Amino acid sequence: MTMNTVLIKNANIVNEGKIFNGDVYIEDGVFKEIAPQISAKSPDVRIFDAEGKYLLPGVIDDQVHFREPGLTHKATIETESRAAVAGGITSFIEMPNTVPQATTVEKLEEKFDIAASTSYANYSFMFGGTNDNLEEILKVDLQKVAALKLFLGSSTGNMLVDDPVVLEKIFSSTNLLIAVHCEDEQTIRNNTAKYKAQYGDDIPIALHPVIRDEEACYLSSSKAVALAKKTGARLHVFHLSTAKELALFTNEIPLEEKKITAEVCIHHLWFSDEDYKEKGTLIKWNPAVKTSADRAALFQALLDDKLDVIATDHAPHTIEEKDNVYTKAPSGGPLVQHALPAMLEFYHKGKISLEKIVEKMCHNPAILFQVEKRGYIKEGYFADAVLVDLNAPWTVTKDNIAYKCGWSPFEETTFTSRITHTFVNGNLVYKNFTFYDDVKHGQRLTFDR
């Protein structure tokens, strides 16, 4: 719904560690005024009464796979950005392992062109590093591209960077933030071979966290951290999944001063290896969902600020692809629509505050990636915002899933909180399970570097 001026009245505003009641005035896509009371400045102002609801900055998800180009039977930028705004995510950063891969500046810009005409949410894309594209990496504009993505363990696609000489050269040569997927490839291959010899292709799914085990994660992430320290590179380690890896990170300095940061994903906070019996390959992710002890340690590290960001690693596959034996079922699952409701469920259980959720999902991604004027409800910032009703229970069903793949690992879960309105650059794009499909107001993210 296109609108030049919006007034949100009586909201409980969650921002910068505080919750306060007030009004928010939006004009031409930016927050113009935030005050205890604001009167409509003209009859054309669209007024939303947020009485009893909470207004959060739009969520910035720094790790998604929207599958376009080349894998559009699973998802597209249009379908998944649509699902994202239903989940309160107003900005996303997408990964390079599409078909073709975004490993040249030309291919990267083709993805930006697609998003410019189809995305409901604001967008950026990571550039993909390989064993032989350093020359292209050095062409990337720091102010227009989120980061460089390196797969240090094989995952979806074929972008494994496994040459230590090349790795050190990349770390030493670029000023881009380097985001890494850390799992040791040889450890995984050895473990897979062991269980394949025993079970063939039909390895029990419960062995996924044994194959992609703690040691595979720690070996890889510890090497990446050591290399970052040696070269002075700016490193961000994606989707931590083990307690052991937490020793590699610090909470002793502010996020703005950290050169080595880390994140945790929704599925590693919600599920444990006890859930494989019920969920099967639907919760097959790389890195694997591990033990309840790992999950508890990750949650505590999030609260203690050793882990800086909450992301989704949204990575949809069709249900037919997932419904395969272990070695043939791909890893990954859809999460953008249900990430914020899941975190709000933890709030209801007394495990995390609303202020901390906003810090980890909105403020910190903006700080970490130096996103320009987003991630906060601040005068002069782009008006990305989410209204949430904390007491409006709803159940995830096939009928209300927005992902193109049509399924969710959260099916039949009842969430206590509901996202009622999502604004992107001041435009209402989603309201109570209704999408404004004629409004695709996502903008390219820029970076203050």
Side-chain angles (χ1 to χ4, degrees):
M1 186 174 291
T2 304
M3 46 190 74
N4 290 321
T5 53
V6 170
L7 180 58
I8 301 171
K9 298 282 294 178
N10 306 312
N12 296 304
I13 301 165
V14 187
N15 193 60
E16 295 188 278
K18 297 177 183 176
I19 301 176
F20 57 96
N21 189 267
D23 297 352
V24 175
Y25 180 67
I26 297 167
E27 187 176 274
D28 295 330
V30 301
F31 296 118
K32 285 290 186 181
E33 187 180 356
I34 300 157
Q37 281 196 318
I38 302 171
S39 298
K41 301 180 189 326
S42 81
D44 298 329
V45 175
R46 182 77 190 272
I47 298 173
F48 294 85
D49 186 356
E51 185 73 46
K53 296 187 177 74
Y54 287 75
L55 187 70
L56 281 55
V59 172
I60 301 172
D61 190 349
D62 78 359
Q63 188 190 177
V64 303
H65 302 261
F66 282 178
R67 305 303 192 198
E68 191 173 11
L71 300 165
T72 53
H73 67 286
K74 302 175 193 278
T76 67
I77 291 169
E78 182 173 15
T79 61
E80 306 315 281
S81 67
R82 189 174 184 267
V85 298
I89 293 168
T90 57
S91 298
F92 65 85
I93 299 173
E94 209 258 359
M95 298 300 104
N97 54 329
T98 44
V99 181
Q101 298 162 349
T103 54
T104 68
V105 171
E106 180 186 4
K107 293 303 178 191
L108 182 71
E109 287 300 325
E110 286 174 7
K111 292 177 72 170
F112 278 109
D113 289 343
I114 296 168
S117 61
T118 65
S119 185
Y120 286 74
N122 306 307
Y123 52 88
S124 191
F125 298 91
M126 288 197 186
F127 189 80
T130 70
N131 281 327
D132 56 8
N133 76 335
L134 180 58
E135 191 176 321
E136 284 289 317
I137 291 171
L138 297 178
K139 295 178 186 175
V140 175
D141 187 332
L142 298 178
Q143 293 181 313
K144 294 183 177 178
V145 176
L148 172 68
K149 172 67 182 289
L150 299 178
F151 289 91
L152 306 187
S154 63
S155 189
T156 307
N158 181 28
M159 290 183 62
L160 179 64
V161 182
D162 57 358
D163 184 327
V165 175
V166 169
L167 264 180
E168 182 159 349
K169 203 164 186 180
I170 292 172
F171 271 63
S172 302
S173 302
T174 182
N175 290 321
L176 279 166
L177 181 151
I178 300 171
V180 290
H181 175 130
C182 288
E183 290 182 286
D184 182 67
E185 188 64 19
Q186 195 55 55
T187 301
I188 294 166
R189 285 177 182 169
N190 292 344
N191 290 340
T192 303
K194 173 184 172 182
Y195 289 107
K196 201 166 180 182
Q198 185 175 350
Y199 295 102
D201 283 327
D202 198 10
I203 299 169
I205 184 62
L207 290 173
H208 187 52
V210 178
I211 290 170
R212 289 179 172 265
D213 62 7
E214 174 189 82
E215 199 53 40
C217 293
Y218 183 81
L219 194 57
S220 182
S221 53
S222 61
K223 283 180 181 177
V225 168
L227 189 55
K229 288 179 176 178
K230 178 181 178 181
T231 59
R234 173 70 183 86
L235 178 71
H236 182 55
V237 182
F238 276 153
H239 44 45
L240 269 284
S241 65
T242 75
K244 186 174 182 178
E245 291 169 281
L246 298 172
L248 299 169
F249 305 96
T250 185
N251 57 0
E252 295 178 359
I253 57 175
L255 176 58
E256 291 88 343
E257 297 174 22
K258 289 186 184 184
K259 291 207 76 175
I260 298 169
T261 53
E263 74 182 32
V264 65
C265 288
I266 296 296
H267 44 289
H268 292 124
L269 295 174
W270 187 278
F271 299 104
S272 77
D273 57 1
E274 296 161 20
D275 294 305
Y276 286 111
K277 186 174 181 181
E278 178 191 348
K279 297 289 186 179
T281 57
L282 296 184
I283 61 165
K284 185 187 180 194
W285 277 282
N286 298 340
V289 167
K290 295 184 174 67
T291 68
S292 56
D294 286 308
R295 178 177 61 186
L298 292 167
F299 212 108
Q300 190 58 50
L302 180 72
L303 298 176
D304 293 343
D305 297 333
K306 274 196 168 187
L307 296 177
D308 305 293
V309 166
I310 300 167
T312 67
D313 195 14
H314 174 91
H317 301 280
T318 67
I319 197 68
E320 292 78 18
E321 289 168 330
K322 276 295 205 177
D323 190 19
N324 264 303
V325 294
Y326 175 81
T327 58
K328 297 188 185 334
S331 292
L335 282 165
V336 288
Q337 187 181 354
H338 304 110
L340 181 55
M343 289 309 303
L344 292 171
E345 206 62 26
F346 290 132
Y347 159 76
H348 283 289
K349 292 177 181 177
K351 296 187 69 173
I352 190 169
S353 68
L354 294 177
E355 298 94 320
K356 185 62 80 171
I357 291 171
V358 165
E359 176 189 318
K360 301 295 184 178
M361 299 185 84
C362 310
H363 302 338
N364 283 8
I367 294 169
L368 198 153
F369 288 90
Q370 299 168 289
V371 180
E372 194 169 17
K373 292 188 176 180
R374 298 191 192 274
Y376 293 83
I377 297 174
K378 272 186 183 180
E379 291 176 7
Y381 273 53
F382 294 104
D384 301 329
V386 184
L387 270 175
V388 174
D389 188 334
L390 291 178
N391 295 291
W394 63 288
T395 301
V396 180
T397 67
K398 296 271 187 214
D399 291 339
N400 56 38
I401 289 170
Y403 312 126
K404 184 172 183 179
C405 67
W407 64 273
S408 165
F410 286 110
E411 275 176 66
E412 304 311 318
T413 299
T414 297
F415 289 121
T416 309
S417 303
R418 180 180 304 190
I419 289 140
T420 62
H421 300 69
T422 302
F423 298 87
V424 177
N425 300 306
N427 294 285
L428 182 66
V429 295
Y430 171 85
K431 179 182 176 182
N432 286 321
F433 300 104
T434 297
F435 296 90
Y436 295 96
D437 289 321
D438 57 334
V439 180
K440 299 181 182 71
H441 280 288
Q443 296 178 3
R444 182 169 180 163
L445 299 178
T446 53
F447 304 92
D448 189 13
R449 297 168 178 160

